[in-house]
């Protein structure tokens, strides 16, 4: 299991990573607009050989963005190298897939004494004409939140079609990939990564697109490999690149269609470099360190079952206050309240399990108030917090009460639990609009399943697409288990969480 953490750079920006394995450091770079969570297969292949540091590209996943309107691959490479410096590595290997391959090549060019071996995967040559065609055809679709939630289906179309054609929006039978469409659960996982990238998802994507050409490899002189594998959706542009001739430092490795074949040839090449280059060895567990800063910082709390994503605000010696959110939300929705409270004391805001950036609960396991309270207490203990005050909304309030010894509830009759929508991923993406409509109804009606005039809220409504989008994204993160969490909230906290 990967250990997740953040590196806080001198400019205050935080870069998120997940680390796994032991041995010499290997920087692992993902395709855009996804994040390091997409690199599970690569980590499984390389972690027996190296300490894999799978980094969220700035502006993707949980990493802060670069403060530039149009960043270049060099801008990204500089930040990625800075993070490796902050982690204590003066030399490292680097692997990049698709967009990540362009950053990997740039690291090899800018820092040849540090990026000692470059592994390029799912890369190729895209001519200026093809790049223009992609952009003009709507390859970078507009996903600005809309009042009707239709932008969610645009996201879904992009993710689903990744397995159908390249480019994803092509209708040309000649550009089909000959692959089965991914199951809805897999498409949903990719969709969630796209959501985290947000409306600026194309920034790194475009930077890499304009570098996806033979000329970008000029100046690369460190030992490198390029993998040409039969299962690649960009096999055609990979062949174009190979046919144009590669720098002498790059060796092409050919692999069959399966992932085992793809990562197998890469692991063999990696073993050779490990034997040749004496890079320092470390392990993933040593990389996740507490951040001593008392400013707003995202961090992780550890339990025996996984990591809880948390925000820490304020400081001082007073008893910490812990805020816990409602079912289907995240700690991010409580940061405004937390900032006010943190003026006088340290405040922690924690994403519940299966919410926000926290670990997923095992499939089939029962969700209970006792279990969730235990996870929260274990996480705080890992940060050296044995005593704290607790408060929260909805399910979070019930957990706070459980930990504090206040178990009073105002339960909703079980009959109403059947009115909760099912958000399990569907091939056609209808679960997305169901979630959007539920968030709208929560803003308009109380309770949200009661659509009578008498249930309409009297307070002014905020139905701005940006706010509804953020709430819907949190809800969809919980996904198929949202009903279970809501049922527990209604049973333990009544309607307080959706008030």
């Amino acid at each position: 299991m990967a250990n997740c953490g953040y590196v806080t750079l001198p400019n205050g920006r935080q870069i998120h990573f997940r680390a796994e394995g032991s041995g010499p450091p290997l920087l692992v770079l993902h395709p855009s607009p996804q994040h390091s969570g997409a690199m599970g297969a690569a980590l499984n292949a390389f972690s027996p050989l190296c300490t894999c540091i799978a980094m969220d590209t700035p502006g993707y996943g949980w990493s802060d963005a670069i403060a530039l309107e149009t960043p270049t691959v060099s801008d990204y490479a500089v930040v990625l190298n800075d993070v490796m410096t902050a982690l204590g590595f003066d030399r490292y290997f680097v692997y990049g897939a698709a967009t990540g391959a362009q950053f990997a090549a740039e690291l090899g060019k800018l820092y040849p004494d540090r990026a000692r071996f470059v592994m390029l995967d799912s890369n190729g040559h895209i001519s200026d004409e093809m790049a223009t065609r992609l952009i003009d055809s709507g390859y970078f679709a507009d996903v600005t939140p809309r009042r009707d939630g239709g932008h969610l289906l645009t996201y879904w179309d992009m993710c689903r079609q990744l397995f159908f054609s390249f480019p994803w929006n092509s209708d040309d039978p000649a550009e089909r990939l000959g692959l089965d469409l991914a199951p809805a659960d897999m498409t949903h996982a990719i969709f969630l990564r796209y959501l985290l990238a947000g409306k600026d998802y194309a920034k790194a994507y475009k930077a890499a697109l304009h570098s996806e050409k033979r000329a970008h490899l000029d100046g690369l002189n460190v030992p490198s490999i390029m993998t040409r594998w039969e299962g690649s959706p960009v096999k055609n542009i990979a062949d174009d690149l190979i046919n144009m001739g590669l720098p002498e430092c790059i060796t092409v490795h050919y692999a069959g269609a399966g992932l085992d074949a793809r990562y197998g040839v890469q692991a063999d090449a990696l073993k050779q470099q490990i034997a040749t280059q004496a890079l320092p060895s470390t392990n993933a567990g040593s990389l996740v360190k507490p951040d001593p800063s008392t400013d707003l910082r995202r961090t992780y709390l550890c339990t025996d079952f996984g990591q809880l994503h948390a925000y820490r605000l304020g400081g001082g010696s007073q008893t910490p206050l812990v805020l816990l959110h409602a079912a289907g939300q995240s700690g991010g929705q409580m940061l405004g309240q937390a900032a006010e409270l943190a003026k006088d004391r340290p405040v922690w805001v924690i994403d519940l399990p299966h919410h926000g950036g926290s670990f997923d609960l095992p499939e089939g396991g029962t969700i209970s108030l006792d279990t969730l309270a235990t996870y929260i207490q274990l996480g705080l203990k890992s940060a050296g917090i044995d005593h704290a005050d607790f408060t929260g909304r909805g399910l979070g309030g019930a957990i706070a009460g459980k930990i504090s010894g206040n178990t009073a509830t105002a339960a909703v009759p079980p009959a109403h639990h059947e009115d909760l929508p099912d958000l399990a991923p569907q091939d056609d993406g209808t679960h997305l609009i169901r979630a959007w409509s539920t968030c709208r109804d929560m803003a308009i009606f109380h309770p949200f399943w009661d659509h009578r005039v008498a249930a309409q809220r009297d307070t002014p409504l905020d139905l701005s697409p940006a706010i509804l989008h953020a709430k819907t994204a949190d809800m969809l993160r919980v996904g198929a288990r949202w009903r279970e969490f809501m049922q527990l909230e209604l049973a333990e906290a009544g309607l307080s969480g959706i008030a």
Side-chain angles (χ1 to χ4, degrees):
M1 178 185 296
N3 292 296
C4 295
Y6 286 95
V7 170
T8 303
L9 297 174
N11 59 14
R13 289 188 171 83
Q14 288 189 290
I15 302 298
H16 180 265
F17 69 92
R18 61 193 73 218
E20 186 171 353
S22 61
L26 172 66
L27 173 59
V28 177
L29 302 175
H30 61 84
S32 297
Q34 302 199 48
H35 60 61
S36 59
M39 305 309 289
L43 297 187
N44 289 339
F46 302 141
S47 59
L49 306 173
C50 291
T51 299
C52 298
I53 304 101
M55 209 174 292
D56 289 355
T57 302
Y60 296 81
W62 297 94
S63 288
D64 290 332
I66 294 176
L68 294 171
E69 184 62 31
T70 311
T72 65
V73 290
S74 294
D75 295 321
Y76 286 102
V78 168
V79 175
L80 296 172
N81 185 69
D82 287 346
V83 175
M84 295 302 282
T85 299
L87 288 172
F89 301 121
D90 60 354
R91 292 176 296 154
Y92 52 88
F93 302 138
V94 58
Y95 165 89
T99 307
Q102 304 308 313
F103 300 145
E106 192 70 9
L107 282 164
K109 292 165 61 176
L110 293 180
Y111 307 102
D113 294 332
R114 303 193 62 186
R116 299 299 303 145
F117 176 52
V118 173
M119 304 166 68
L120 306 175
D121 191 355
S122 302
N123 63 305
H125 173 80
I126 294 179
S127 66
D128 291 339
E129 293 77 13
M130 184 178 182
T132 299
R133 179 170 73 90
L134 290 176
I135 294 172
D136 291 346
S137 70
Y139 186 81
F140 297 109
D142 182 5
V143 290
T144 304
R146 302 205 318 249
R147 181 179 174 86
D148 62 1
H151 65 289
L152 297 175
L153 292 179
T154 300
Y155 274 117
W156 189 257
D157 186 32
M158 295 167 65
C159 298
R160 193 168 186 258
Q161 296 301 108
L162 288 176
F163 300 91
F164 184 72
S165 63
F166 179 78
W168 70 265
N169 59 337
S170 173
D171 296 324
D172 185 349
E175 294 181 321
R176 292 180 185 173
L177 300 175
L179 302 173
D180 295 335
L181 286 181
D185 285 346
M186 182 184 296
T187 304
H188 186 76
I190 298 171
F191 165 85
L192 291 177
R193 297 175 199 135
Y194 276 52
L195 283 190
L196 278 178
K199 63 182 179 62
D200 291 330
Y201 76 94
K203 278 193 173 183
Y205 216 168
K206 286 183 177 179
L209 174 67
H210 292 301
S211 296
E212 188 90 39
K213 47 178 56 69
R214 169 60 183 83
H216 183 230
L217 298 178
D218 290 337
L220 180 62
N221 295 305
V222 299
S224 305
I225 67 168
M226 172 182 168
T227 304
R228 192 277 189 193
W229 61 290
E230 286 294 330
S232 173
V234 294
K235 183 172 56 179
N236 290 342
I237 65 170
D239 288 340
D240 290 342
L241 176 60
I242 293 169
N243 292 335
M244 297 176 75
L246 299 173
E248 292 184 0
C249 66
I250 301 178
T251 302
V252 179
H253 289 246
Y254 293 85
L259 291 181
D260 288 343
R262 170 190 181 186
Y263 293 118
V265 299
Q266 296 167 351
D268 288 342
L270 188 56
K271 290 175 186 176
Q272 293 179 4
Q273 292 297 320
I274 292 172
T276 303
Q277 304 197 50
L279 267 65
S281 183
T282 185
N283 64 79
S286 67
L287 301 181
V288 181
K289 304 172 184 177
D291 184 346
S293 170
T294 57
D295 296 329
L296 170 60
R297 286 294 181 267
R298 293 164 292 172
T299 188
Y300 282 94
L301 304 174
C302 297
T303 78
D304 293 337
F305 309 94
Q307 293 177 292
L308 295 170
H309 187 253
Y311 304 81
R312 188 182 68 246
L313 298 82
S317 59
Q318 290 186 322
T319 301
L321 175 64
V322 178
L323 302 185
L324 302 174
H325 60 80
Q329 298 183 12
S330 74
Q333 294 192 37
M334 303 189 78
L335 292 181
Q337 177 186 358
E340 288 296 318
L341 296 169
K343 294 176 180 178
D344 302 316
R345 64 193 301 187
V347 175
W348 288 78
V349 185
I350 303 175
D351 289 342
L352 299 180
H354 227 91
H355 292 68
S358 290
F359 71 94
D360 285 350
L361 295 171
E363 289 188 19
T366 302
I367 301 171
S368 71
L369 209 58
D370 286 336
T371 301
L372 296 174
T374 298
Y375 290 147
I376 298 299
Q377 290 174 295
L378 288 173
L380 290 169
K381 190 173 183 64
S382 75
I385 300 174
D386 293 317
H387 303 286
D389 297 328
F390 295 84
T391 188
R393 302 173 185 164
L395 180 57
I399 297 170
K402 183 73 175 180
I403 296 174
S404 304
N406 178 10
T407 58
T409 63
V412 172
H416 291 294
H417 298 188
E418 301 305 316
D419 297 318
L420 300 175
D422 182 2
L423 300 185
Q426 303 296 314
D427 281 327
D428 59 5
T430 50
H431 63 294
L432 310 177
I433 300 303
R434 193 174 299 126
W436 181 268
S437 297
T438 300
C439 285
R440 277 180 55 87
D441 286 349
M442 284 181 168
I444 298 172
F445 302 101
H446 184 65
F448 65 86
W449 58 77
D450 186 348
H451 296 166
R452 297 175 302 158
V453 171
Q456 293 179 6
R457 297 179 185 269
D458 294 329
T459 55
L461 304 179
D462 189 348
L463 296 176
S464 66
I467 289 178
L468 284 178
H469 175 84
K471 292 182 176 180
T472 303
D474 280 342
M475 185 181 291
L476 288 168
R477 156 66 181 96
V478 187
R481 304 204 74 171
W482 178 80
R483 286 187 79 181
E484 296 176 71
F485 278 98
M486 279 301 299
Q487 287 168 348
L488 180 62
E489 174 167 294
L490 293 173
E492 300 288 350
L495 299 176
S496 64
I498 55 176

